[in-house]
């Protein structure tokens, strides 16, 4: 496996969806309050990535309320993968509440070469992690070795764009239900890494990974370093959240996000966190 | 200086015959009656026995936390015993009073009696076991009385995930956070690592909110890995983490049959690398909290 630096949490949107979002501002812009001020363009990403010394990307989908939007988004991700061979991994946009349509779309994405599913968003989809339709998607992801990425964020504060009120014990139950499936939890997993200090949680979370997206905007400085004292560096994957650097007093470029994360890492773990961990997960497929 | 901020020393009526006492209090019975499902190894000690063990293990002082009984009368009996212990060992024993909010006016009077008699606060009050809501008006009045008196409150809480065990609270962490928001001046010691709340202090908003929140380590070896001490200190600072054991609960039941303080002190010593942090955790942070509030001068001077 060649050494890579992967941004594990990137969102790019096709023009049709951006136009649709602007047109339906009231219903969709609350999900992405900064959407109209951010650039969602692949050229912009590549320019910023060059500066930040990032060479590979994990395109995450969005759990759109409409299955056609999920499909359009996935087609766009496929276009990008084809246009830049070897530069992009992709996860499928799905809405588990669509039932069989979501599972069918997952299969289509698998055939198109996608490596994962998500970013799934139980809170905005108003489903619990024990909802049958969600579990069907998880089962299918497990069968196809597609890694699910699930949005998690701190429940006590309101962060536009990534709010999540899913009870954290549901993540424990989910991990126990899929003990052999890797699951990536975003935004440093809310508080979940701390609970790995409880042995039974550590055991259940053997294959749970945490991405660093939006970390710098949500948590205090140095948070990643502190989390690394609790969980193995093999469980942390770098992700910027491009272009949604949400939160207060947030950094505004991929370079500054990358640098802030990288500066918290010792040399012996940085390769794992900045790329190798995610590469191993996504290439299992 | 080593201070154990979380022990339960119960009246001799209880320690002499726990199963007889269990008939008086259903939750006590639920927690302490051995059963195939209940693996807790409860032990009992009088305050005289506790002081002997303190001398053996090098403990300077301990706090007796009340056991969350269901009736007002049993709370009062416990408090009377704790006051007796404080009087017998004024430089070694710190008292916390226990009440049940459903006692209403009688509970408020009892809080007044406990604090006037020199107790450091109210605790270990238990919304799960005692079955009251954190927005119960009497409970909130008790919080205010603690604030007005500069007293502390120790409150039971458990981690919201992981396996089940007897005594594990299922009150959501959000409800405790709501209490902290409602009573920001209340100095709360949240038992058992605050059910995971320390981690949330990595969020600047939560850190700000939890300025007056402290966490104790009670029961740690039974529930957490030994890395928890260092990790919690790194996250929220040693000044917020207070040594507590849950004595005379057996913390290492696989290898010990008699309760003591030394085994967990040794575990902490082995896992907290900085001398300064270790001193803070084992006693200085608790002492500073008492001194700051002018509580238990005989113990702290």
């Amino acid at each position: 496996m060649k050494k890579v630096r992967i941004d594990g949490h990137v969102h790019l949107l096709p023009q049709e969806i951006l136009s649709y979002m602007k047109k339906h501002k009231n219903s969709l812009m609350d999900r992405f309050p900064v959407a109209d001020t951010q650039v969602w363009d692949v050229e912009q990403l590549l320019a910023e990535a060059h500066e930040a010394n990032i060479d590979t990307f994990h395109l995450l989908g969005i759990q759109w309320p409409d299955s056609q939007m999920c499909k359009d988004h996935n087609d766009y991700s496929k276009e990008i993968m084809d246009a830049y061979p070897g530069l992009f991994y992709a996860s499928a946009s799905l809405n588990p509440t669509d039932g069989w349509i979501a599972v069918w779309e997952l299969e289509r994405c698998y055939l198109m070469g996608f490596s994962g599913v998500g970013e799934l968003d139980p809170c905005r989809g108003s489903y619990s992690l024990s909802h049958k339709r969600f579990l069907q998607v998880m089962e299918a992801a497990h069968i196809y070795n597609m890694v699910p990425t699930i949005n998690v964020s701190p429940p006590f504060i309101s962060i536009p764009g990534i709010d999540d009120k899913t009870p954290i014990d549901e993540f424990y139950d989910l991990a126990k239900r899929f003990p052999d499936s890797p699951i990536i939890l975003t935004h440093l997993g809310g508080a979940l890494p701390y609970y790995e200090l409880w042995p039974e949680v550590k055991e259940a979370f053997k294959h749970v990974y945490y991405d660093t997206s939006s970390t710098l905007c949500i948590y205090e400085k140095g948070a990643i370093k502190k989390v690394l004292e609790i969980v193995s560096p093999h469980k942390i994957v770098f992700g910027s959240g491009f272009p949604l650097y949400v939160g207060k007093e947030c950094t505004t470029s991929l370079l500054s996000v990358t640098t802030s994360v990288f500066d918290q890492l010792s040399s012996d773990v940085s390769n794992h966190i900045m790329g190798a961990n995610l590469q191993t997960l996504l290439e299992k497929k | 200086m080593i201070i154990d901020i979380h022990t339960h020393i119960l009246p001799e009526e209880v320690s002499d015959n726990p199963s007889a006492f269990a008939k008086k209090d259903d939750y006590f019975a639920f927690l302490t009656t051995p059963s195939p499902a209940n693996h807790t190894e409860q032990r009992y000690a009088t305050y005289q026995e506790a002081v002997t063990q303190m001398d053996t293990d090098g403990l300077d002082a301990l706090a007796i936390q009340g056991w969350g009984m269901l009736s007002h009368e049993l709370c009062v009996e416990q408090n009377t015993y704790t006051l007796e212990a404080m009087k017998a060992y004024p430089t070694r024993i710190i008292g916390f009073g226990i009440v049940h909010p459903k006692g209403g006016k009688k509970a408020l009077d009892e809080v007044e009696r406990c604090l006037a008699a020199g107790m450091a606060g109210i605790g270990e009050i238990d919304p799960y076991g005692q079955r009251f809501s954190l927005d119960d008006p009497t409970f909130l009045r008790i919080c205010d009385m603690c604030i007005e008196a500069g007293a502390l409150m120790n409150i039971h809480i458990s981690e919201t995930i992981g396996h089940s065990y007897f005594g594990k609270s299922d009150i959501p962490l959000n409800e405790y956070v709501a209490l902290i928001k409602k009573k920001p001046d209340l100095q709360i010691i949240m038992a058992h690592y605050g059910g995971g709340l320390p981690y949330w202090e990595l969020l600047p908003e939560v850190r700000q909110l939890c300025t007056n929140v402290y966490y104790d380590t009670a029961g740690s070896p039974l529930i957490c890995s030994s890395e928890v001490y260092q990790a919690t200190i790194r996250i929220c600072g040693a000044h917020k983490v207070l040594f507590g054991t849950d004595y005379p609960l057996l913390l290492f039941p696989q290898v010990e049959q008699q309760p003591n303080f030394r085994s967990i002190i040794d575990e902490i010593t082995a896992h907290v690398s900085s001398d300064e942090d270790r001193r803070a955790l084992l006693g200085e942070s608790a002492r500073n909290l008492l001194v700051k509030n002018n509580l238990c001068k005989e113990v702290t001077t």
Side-chain angles (χ1 to χ4, degrees), chain A residues 76-105:
Chain A
Y76 179 66
S77 296
K78 171 66 175 159
E79 270 176 40
I80 293 172
M81 287 165 75
D82 290 345
Y84 302 92
L87 255 58
F88 288 90
Y89 299 97
S91 279
S93 292
L94 296 176
N95 190 334
T97 59
D98 286 335
W100 65 267
I101 292 176
V103 176
W104 201 26
E105 182 63 7

Side-chain angles (χ1 to χ4, degrees), chain A residues 7-12 45 57-61 88 239-243:
Chain A
D7 184 340
H9 192 129
V10 165
H11 295 287
L12 295 177
L45 171 67
F57 311 90
H58 179 206
L59 283 180
L60 280 174
F88 288 90
S240 68
F242 177 94

Side-chain angles (χ1 to χ4, degrees), chain B residues 224-259:
Chain B
C224 296
S225 71
S226 48
E227 283 80 32
V228 72
Y229 311 108
Q230 185 72 66
T232 308
I233 287 171
R234 287 282 289 132
I235 291 168
C236 61
H239 66 291
K240 301 195 77 167
V241 191
L242 312 181
F243 173 57
T245 58
D246 240 342
Y247 175 91
L249 191 66
L250 275 189
L251 298 180
F252 298 90
Q254 288 83 5
V255 292
E256 291 175 349
Q257 286 308 305
Q258 291 304 315

